[in-house]
Amino acid sequence: VLVNESLISLYRKPSKDSSVKAKVEFGAIGNLRSCNTDWCNVSFPEMSGWIEKNKLWGTTPDEIFPP
């Protein structure tokens, strides 16, 4: 998947109340690990975490992965 906004937060858990692990730059490419209704777990070369689904390119709003 591709990050489609500038400096988005990579969270430890799928919640804005969770702590932020890092900021991810526009255009970063990550491996999609899973998605629920609103969040996707994405891995990058040095870390992984949760990003709001609407801030990613390469997923659809109704996509749940794994199904």
Side-chain angles (χ1 to χ4, degrees):
V1 292
L2 181 72
V3 174
N4 67 5
E5 290 189 19
S6 295
L7 291 177
I8 62 169
S9 296
L10 182 71
Y11 292 91
R12 291 190 186 281
K13 296 180 182 177
S15 168
K16 284 189 173 185
D17 294 330
S18 176
S19 59
V20 174
K21 293 175 76 171
K23 295 287 189 175
V24 183
E25 294 184 6
F26 174 83
I29 298 172
N31 292 315
L32 188 64
R33 299 173 72 187
S34 64
C35 287
N36 62 30
T37 306
D38 299 313
W39 293 83
C40 291
N41 187 274
V42 182
S43 65
F44 296 95
E46 295 187 22
M47 68 187 70
S48 64
W50 292 89
I51 296 175
E52 292 174 276
K53 188 187 287 185
N54 64 352
K55 299 189 185 301
L56 298 170
W57 182 87
T59 63
T60 59
D62 59 346
E63 183 173 11
I64 306 294
F65 177 77

